[in-house]
Amino acid sequence: MSRAALLVLADGRFPAGGHAHSGGAEAAVKAGRITGAADLEEFCRGRLHTAGLVSASLAAAAALGVDPVELDGAADARTPSPALRIAARKLGRQLMRAGRATWPSAELDALAGRFPKGAHQPVVLGVVARAAGLGADDAAYCSLYECVSGPASAVVRLLSLDPFDATGVLAGLAPELDVVAQRAVEGARCAVEGGVGVLPAGGAPLLEIGAEAHAAWAVRLFAS
Amino acid sequence: MHLDQGHTHDGPVAVSADAHRADGRRRALRIGLGGPVGSGKTATVAALCRALRDEWSLAVVTNDIYTREDAEFLLREAVLPPERITAVETGACPHTAIRDDISANLEAVEDLEDEVGPLELILVESGGDNLTATFSKGLVDAQIFVIDVAGGDDIPRKGGPGVTTADLLVVNKTDLAPYVGSDLGRMAADAKAQRGELPVVFQSLRAEGGDGVEAVADWVRARLAAWAA
Ligand SMILES: Nc1nc2c(ncn2[C@@H]2O[C@H](COP(=O)(O)OP(=O)(O)OP(=O)(O)O)[C@@H](O)[C@H]2O)c(=O)[nH]1
Ligand SMILES: [Mg+2]
């Protein structure tokens, strides 16, 4: 395992399409739920413990070698909003392209062939992590970090938030991220024996509802 | 993994600049149009579609910043059938989507080829951006940078990657030069100094009886002929 490979995969500039998505932040800003750094922190904390935990456990399970087709079904079951499913598959497809170009692997080729229009992003992330020689915990960390860093950088653009404040929010959440990463990996390990049904299934209804509303806007900066 | 290896497409899917598609066919020539907000990119794309659509099989990808205006303009003008026009969302950063992280645009291009292909030419319009915005070679084979005379006749002198390195520099809206006090001779001299032998076209899409987009269309035709050869 290479620690540097983790930096490559976790880098916000890894060209996998994330820059065009706000992780629900644009909808929350418009609704007045995020107006500054303090709200951003609460928003990210909520995301971390709900959608974040679910995504990270899917990624970790894929990194452990759990069948990605079953994991994709599990991701669908945990994503009620059609708009979020579409966004997750789009991002999965983009990550697949970047992952295959960066760490060519037969497993990635097979997954791309099975889902030509994209599997759920966390599932692809786990298989990419495997291809990069990374482990389940690395996949969980990547997934959780992008679950909070995406909204943070989007809010810098949407509210002209001081970028140092946004980065401070991420640093402040780091200890919690460690805890959630551990839970995600534990959940993934259970799924190796117990099947994908035992993976965490927490949800954030406001994120789902916000995503549906956002997808219908005529004018928006971010794709989701 | 429980996946059937028989269904895989290996090879070019992951390699963006490859001249062949996964099925082995030669892909369409991809030409990017970039430049500042309002310089006339969409108007040039529309005129190119009208000039070339009977000769070549073509499609368009637009990168609007926060609306679908450009795609909707092209649809309204009916320059191409709707299934040949696709919009990509760029997350407040149009240059990122054409340069640093081209995956969404590559997908749009590939989907167009899959769904309405075979295609010979795909025009990719960037969202209006600054003078440093250029297209990645992984996304396009050639790029046109569109500026206009109303944005200030010092733009060619200021240079920047768009003005200096684009395969074709278009100085648009020459009809407005007398009204905004732009010196076309100076713009041409500055462009020459910045670009050396790289071509520059001065055009107006408004002037009565003018040649409109013909010079740019000829340049695209030459590119297409070279690509097909
Ligand atoms: N006078 C004059 N107006 C033009 C010419 N070309 C385009 N325009 C007008 O300039 C305006 C902007 O043109 P667009 O083609 O939308 O510019 P754009 O570069 O696509 O703009 P963005 O995509 O918003 O960056 C429109 O009102 C066009 O009709 C021209 O040659 N002369
Ligand atoms: Mg335009």
Side-chain angles (χ1 to χ4, degrees):
Chain A
M1 193 210 77
S2 155
R3 182 177 284 186
L6 174 59
L7 296 180
V8 174
L9 182 56
D11 190 338
R13 284 165 298 188
F14 190 73
H19 70 95
H21 295 257
S22 78
E26 186 168 31
V29 164
K30 177 82 164 279
R33 290 193 286 273
I34 302 178
T35 58
D39 302 337
L40 172 64
E41 179 172 339
E42 288 310 309
F43 178 86
C44 288
R45 176 170 290 115
R47 225 172 117 71
L48 198 58
H49 289 276
T50 55
L53 173 63
V54 170
S55 298
S57 64
L58 288 164
L64 287 171
V66 175
D67 179 4
V69 179
E70 281 183 33
L71 286 171
D72 189 78
D76 258 347
R78 286 160 178 72
T79 314
S81 152
L84 283 183
R85 289 185 186 185
I86 290 169
R89 291 190 181 283
K90 240 186 214 173
L91 285 169
R93 184 177 175 194
Q94 290 177 253
L95 176 58
M96 175 60 80
R97 175 190 302 278
R100 288 175 82 189
T102 313
W103 294 288
S105 108
E107 288 187 351
L108 283 175
D109 291 348
L111 187 59
R114 177 67 179 72
F115 294 98
K117 299 287 173 189
H120 275 265
Q121 193 268 3
V123 179
V124 179
L125 178 61
V127 181
V128 169
R130 256 170 96 78
L134 295 168
D137 47 347
D138 300 315
Y141 268 98
C142 271
S143 180
L144 288 169
Y145 184 65
E146 71 192 18
C147 141
V148 291
S149 64
S153 63
V155 170
V156 167
R157 295 186 206 168
L158 288 163
L159 290 178
S160 304
L161 190 70
D162 183 333
F164 298 120
D165 290 344
T167 304
V169 165
L170 296 178
L173 288 168
E176 244 168 287
L177 201 146
D178 288 329
V179 173
V180 178
Q182 209 173 340
R183 283 175 55 206
V185 174
E186 279 161 18
R189 288 198 198 289
C190 291
V192 173
E193 290 300 318
V196 299
V198 306
L199 287 168
L206 214 45
L207 280 176
E208 306 275 338
I209 294 165
E212 286 300 308
H214 182 267
W217 296 359
V219 175
R220 56 174 181 248
L221 277 182
F222 291 90
S224 79
Chain B
M1 294 263 294
H2 305 249
L3 294 173
D4 179 2
Q5 295 281 342
H7 288 291
T8 68
H9 307 259
D10 19 31
V13 174
V15 184
S16 46
D18 197 290
H20 291 89
R21 292 167 42 76
D23 60 12
R25 277 188 292 138
R26 195 163 171 82
R27 65 163 171 80
L29 176 70
R30 307 195 288 241
I31 295 184
L33 290 97
V37 178
S39 61
K41 297 178 292 296
T42 305
T44 301
V45 167
L48 282 174
C49 289
R50 290 192 188 97
L52 300 170
R53 66 190 172 196
D54 296 334
E55 300 163 52
W56 305 89
S57 171
L58 61 116
V60 174
V61 178
T62 63
N63 282 246
D64 283 320
I65 307 183
Y66 52 84
T67 65
R68 300 172 58 84
E69 295 255 344
D70 286 351
E72 275 159 18
F73 176 84
L74 296 172
L75 290 170
R76 217 167 37 242
E77 294 285 302
V79 296
L80 290 177
E83 65 275 13
R84 289 176 178 252
I85 301 170
T86 297
V88 167
E89 288 178 291
T90 59
C93 239
H95 50 269
T96 305
I98 60 161
R99 185 184 60 203
D100 311 86
D101 184 348
I102 56 179
S103 46
N105 269 299
L106 284 172
E107 251 133 54
V109 158
E110 287 172 2
D111 284 350
L112 280 168
E113 293 205 73
D114 286 344
E115 285 152 27
V116 299
L119 292 170
E120 290 156 308
L121 172 66
I122 299 178
L123 300 173
V124 183
E125 179 188 343
S126 164
D129 209 312
N130 63 58
L131 297 176
T132 66
T134 50
F135 284 84
S136 164
K137 291 191 170 73
L139 176 59
V140 301
D141 304 295
Q143 51 194 306
I144 302 176
F145 201 70
V146 183
I147 60 174
D148 67 18
V149 304
D153 60 7
D154 52 352
I155 299 232
R157 183 178 53 74
K158 287 182 186 162
V163 166
T164 48
T165 67
D167 300 290
L168 178 65
L169 178 67
V170 174
V171 182
N172 191 34
K173 309 190 191 178
T174 52
D175 56 296
L176 297 181
Y179 306 106
V180 297
S182 282
D183 179 344
L184 297 182
R186 174 180 162 194
M187 292 184 90
D190 288 343
K192 171 87 188 148
Q194 293 282 2
R195 295 173 53 78
E197 294 309 309
L198 288 171
V200 181
V201 165
F202 283 74
Q203 88 177 3
S204 168
L205 299 175
R206 283 285 169 79
E208 292 291 324
D211 289 336
V213 83
E214 260 321 292
V216 177
D218 279 341
W219 181 87
V220 173
R221 286 185 188 102
R223 286 276 167 172
L224 277 163
W227 180 251

